[in-house]
Amino acid sequence: MLSIDPKMLPRLDDLEEDLLARRERAVAENWLGEIEGLDLTLTFLRGKRAQARRTARLGPPGQVDLGLPTTPRR
């Protein structure tokens, strides 16, 4: 699955604004298929933005330090 760099959050906001304007036009023109497609795109965009915000908050995925294994002493 494609991951979004948190630095792209402002661009995602711009894209959403553009999609909402296009959706308004589609509603005004009664382009039902276009409305459905734009709604689907907005849903995916909002999901990716939420994922990017989680990544920004938690940090990028990487290696997890599990420590060195030890053997019990007798």
Side-chain angles (χ1 to χ4, degrees):
M1 179 179 256
L2 179 66
S3 294
I4 302 296
D5 187 341
K7 291 184 239 175
M8 294 300 295
L9 282 169
R11 179 68 179 131
L12 293 178
D13 293 337
D14 292 342
L15 288 171
E16 182 181 30
E17 186 178 317
D18 180 60
L19 287 168
L20 290 170
R22 290 173 55 192
R23 188 183 188 289
E24 279 183 32
R25 168 93 191 274
V27 168
E29 300 288 340
N30 199 29
W31 296 335
L32 301 180
E34 186 75 8
I35 295 167
E36 184 178 346
L38 289 167
D39 286 344
L40 187 60
T41 303
L42 282 164
T43 299
F44 289 135
L45 180 137
R46 290 170 178 156
K48 285 296 179 183
R49 184 173 48 206
Q51 177 189 12
R53 285 183 177 150
R54 280 192 303 275
T55 300
R57 188 175 63 248
L58 300 175
Q63 294 180 340
V64 175
D65 183 16
L66 299 176
L68 293 174
T70 59
T71 56
R73 293 189 177 202
R74 294 182 187 194

